[in-house]
Amino acid sequence: MVKPREQWGSRAGFIMAAAGSAVGLGNIWKYPHMAGQHGGGAFTVVYLICILFVGLPILMAEISIGRRTQLNPVGAFKALSNNSSWKFVGLLGVASAFTILSFYSVVGGWTLKYTMLALTGAFNDFAVGDSAAQAFNAFVTNPISPVLWHLVFMGLCVLIINQGVKAGIERWSKILMPVLLGILLLLVVRGVTLEGAGEGLRFLFWPKWGDLDASAVVLALGHSFFTISLGMGTMITYGSYLSRDSDLLQSALWIIFIDTAIALLAGVAIFTAVFALGQNPAEGPGLIFVVLPSLFPQMPGGAIFAVMFFGLLFVAALTSAISILEVVTAYFIDEKGWSRSKATYTFGGVIAFIGVLASLSNGSFNLLAPFTELTFMDLLDKVSSKYMLPLGGMLTAFFVLLRWGIVRFTEEIKAGARWFEVNRWTVTTIFTIAGTVVAYIFVRELIALFG
Ligand code: TRP
């Protein structure tokens, strides 16, 4: 006998879990460094527009596909398309989950290591010269330490997912998300009260259109999508634990609001400090792991804020990582009849192993060395964010338009809705725009690959 499918305990529980998935390294690590490199405010404006016109419709599509079918991504596409080849969109999602989590968990391990460094006061040695950069380099290229931290991080994901939807994902998200918001607000207050913080705010919110080029627009588009966990069926899976009386539009708006607010607040916390202490905002991916650790010792109360910051990053990464593992687990439970613990331990193990190779590729052992300059870890990141997710998102939008149908989609949204009076043609137009825009990113990346 199969156990009946679990459901979220409450609507707030679902929103916390979905927001926990959305809020992650994308918000606190990627968004600030991308905005820092591509014109600050201008990048932010483009990003906000993309969230509204591309992110929201695809998020609604995923949640409603999940709720309608009460199934994992593969099962869901199969059920809504009469078992046609659309199920490959679901399989692509499961494959993306393996690819993303293998490197995401390595960075998750870094956040744990940096929380420990902050706790032991190690940042005090980072204020001079490029010692912070050297320490970071030495750490990520080390064959043992980052591998162990990655395994700890992955172990935590497995433990939470093994507890199931309500006792695992929902309970932990309801504890961790408020903690995250609390820490972030303290960091924002610290940031804006630093002398010279205004420069940072101006940088982040005042658009300088001259710094924005076409590639930054494509980046903002791609990111608007990654940041709300779209394109691989995470939101299909989370939506599948919803009951039909929940209001989808309202939930989706909440998720997007929380995700965007947290990215902007993280930007405020980071750029006020970066500008107040006279650093370069366009540092790139090292902004968080190199620039910030060297700044904390220079600000009053910095030691405490350092622990908070990396603790925050860790919590954000953890609630996202579990949502990725849940896609794989749900697939093996629904489609292959596995038990939750068998699926979780087996594939948590497989992903942990790929992650070990990803971590090693930064230093001692790079699988790809004979073929390209790229490390194996970069490859996992690039292949998933640039090709697999946009492809998945584009196909999801086209699935709603061409196969499932706008009529059935809008009926699904109406179920449980307190207010939803949208003209079908408006919905069709929005989906056509969203699908085309994502197709544009995808094709551009393909051309860049072969061009
Ligand atoms: N959205 C998360 C972040 O911003 C990452 C993430 C979790 C994700 N699940 C996903 C991204 C599914 C794409 C697809 O860090």
Side-chain angles (χ1 to χ4, degrees):
M1 247 321 275
V2 258
K3 279 197 275 173
R5 197 179 179 76
E6 270 197 273
Q7 295 224 318
W8 302 110
S10 65
R11 192 172 70 101
F14 163 67
I15 292 174
M16 282 298 142
S21 167
V23 174
L25 297 170
N27 304 58
I28 303 169
W29 174 51
K30 271 187 154 177
Y31 162 70
H33 86 240
M34 292 194 315
Q37 280 182 316
H38 298 282
F43 184 87
T44 304
V45 172
V46 178
Y47 160 74
L48 293 178
I49 296 174
C50 297
I51 294 269
L52 221 48
F53 290 98
V54 181
L56 182 61
I58 300 183
L59 176 62
M60 296 287 293
E62 286 206 15
I63 303 179
S64 58
I65 290 172
R67 190 182 69 168
R68 170 81 251 172
T69 58
Q70 303 278 302
L71 285 168
N72 70 93
V74 179
F77 280 104
K78 259 202 229 165
L80 293 181
S81 73
N82 241 330
N83 208 0
S84 74
S85 21
W86 282 102
K87 67 169 178 279
F88 289 107
V89 184
L91 278 172
L92 175 71
V94 176
S96 309
F98 277 92
T99 318
I100 296 184
L101 192 51
S102 316
F103 76 84
Y104 204 87
S105 166
V106 174
V107 184
W110 297 355
T111 67
L112 267 174
K113 162 78 178 183
Y114 269 68
T115 310
M116 288 303 157
L117 285 178
L119 274 170
T120 54
F123 293 165
N124 287 331
D125 306 331
F126 287 0
V128 278
D130 59 356
S131 53
Q134 280 170 8
F136 179 65
N137 242 323
F139 166 63
V140 299
T141 54
N142 183 295
I144 299 169
S145 167
V147 171
L148 293 180
W149 286 111
H150 147 69
L151 292 176
V152 173
F153 185 87
M154 218 29 232
L156 291 172
C157 291
V158 167
L159 288 179
I160 295 178
I161 289 304
N162 191 39
Q163 293 178 320
V165 176
K166 224 192 279 184
I169 304 173
E170 180 170 350
R171 180 166 60 116
W172 285 102
S173 305
K174 272 162 85 179
I175 298 172
L176 294 173
M177 289 307 285
V179 170
L180 182 149
L181 190 64
I183 299 179
L184 187 55
L185 289 177
L186 288 175
L187 287 162
V188 166
V189 172
R190 168 69 284 187
V192 297
T193 51
L194 287 169
E195 207 171 315
E199 270 307 299
L201 294 178
R202 204 161 310 130
F203 172 77
L204 191 61
F205 295 117
W206 193 256
K208 281 186 296 194
W209 296 106
D211 293 352
L212 193 77
D213 51 16
S215 73
V217 175
V218 177
L219 219 58
L221 261 168
H223 183 65
S224 65
F225 206 102
F226 182 89
T227 190
I228 24 189
S229 302
L230 299 178
M232 57 161 262
T234 302
M235 293 298 176
I236 297 182
T237 309
Y238 274 20
S240 76
Y241 305 124
L242 270 178
S243 63
R244 290 208 87 204
D245 55 14
S246 46
D247 188 327
L248 292 188
L249 181 59
Q250 209 180 37
S251 306
L253 287 173
W254 265 113
I255 296 165
I256 284 189
F257 171 73
I258 297 173
D259 187 73
T260 309
I262 288 187
L264 295 179
L265 288 172
V268 169
I270 292 168
F271 286 113
T272 46
V274 166
F275 276 86
L277 297 167
Q279 290 289 326
N280 174 16
E283 174 68 29
L287 187 66
I288 298 296
F289 291 103
V290 175
V291 178
L292 288 184
S294 72
L295 293 185
F296 285 119
Q298 305 172 47
M299 58 169 93
I304 298 170
F305 290 106
V307 177
M308 287 188 183
F309 182 81
F310 284 101
L312 165 84
L313 201 57
F314 160 67
V315 167
L318 185 65
T319 50
S320 298
I322 58 175
S323 76
I324 307 178
L325 184 57
E326 179 63 16
V327 171
V328 179
T329 299
Y331 168 64
F332 280 89
I333 295 176
D334 293 346
E335 302 299 303
K336 309 283 170 192
W338 287 28
S339 71
R340 173 166 283 272
S341 41
K342 180 176 166 195
T344 310
Y345 282 108
T346 308
F347 293 102
V350 171
I351 292 169
F353 175 74
I354 308 174
V356 169
L357 297 178
S359 179
L360 291 177
S361 77
N362 292 317
S364 48
F365 171 68
N366 179 17
L367 272 182
L368 300 180
F371 315 106
T372 131
E373 298 241 304
L374 223 59
T375 64
F376 179 55
M377 180 151 157
D378 288 337
L379 181 83
L380 293 173
D381 181 2
K382 296 245 151 65
V383 168
S384 53
S385 327
K386 290 194 162 173
Y387 311 108
M388 297 171 87
L389 293 177
L391 184 62
M394 167 184 101
L395 292 173
T396 305
F398 289 143
F399 175 77
V400 171
L401 276 172
L402 306 173
R403 177 76 212 211
W404 193 24
I406 291 292
V407 173
R408 269 163 294 195
F409 167 68
T410 44
E411 266 160 20
E412 181 59 29
I413 293 179
K414 271 196 195 133
R418 255 138 288 183
W419 46 276
F420 180 74
E421 277 314 324
V422 178
N423 179 297
R424 289 205 174 113
W425 290 108
T426 317
V427 181
T428 308
T429 313
I430 294 174
F431 268 79
T432 311
I433 295 174
T436 314
V437 161
V438 185
Y440 170 75
I441 318 181
F442 178 67
V443 171
R444 235 188 99 112
E445 293 297 350
L446 276 188
I447 293 173
L449 181 68
F450 295 110

